[in-house]
Amino acid sequence: MNKLSIFIQDFIKDESGLTAVEYAIAGGLVVGGMVVAFGELGTAATNQISALCTAVDAAATCT
């Protein structure tokens, strides 16, 4: 066989780049999950702060 065909066969059998792609996909999924989680956490925190402000305003006007 010539060197080119050996190089192509070796290139096809090489799977070292595949793990980098898998890590990139896993990292993207983790980051996506964090974005969703922090978005939900921010919404919940805003709702709690609004409820607290409403309760404090109601207590201030009652006394």
Side-chain angles (χ1 to χ4, degrees):
M1 283 194 194
N2 63 12
K3 289 182 181 181
L4 180 61
S5 63
I6 293 172
F7 173 76
I8 292 173
Q9 287 178 355
D10 289 342
F11 181 75
I12 291 172
K13 292 178 185 177
D14 184 20
E15 294 183 359
S16 61
L18 186 61
T19 55
V21 172
E22 291 170 347
Y23 281 124
I25 291 171
L29 290 173
V30 168
V31 169
M34 289 174 61
V35 167
V36 170
F38 284 127
E40 292 295 321
L41 180 64
T43 302
T46 301
N47 292 339
Q48 289 294 332
I49 291 171
S50 295
L52 180 62
C53 289
T54 302
V56 168
D57 285 341
T61 58
C62 293
T63 56

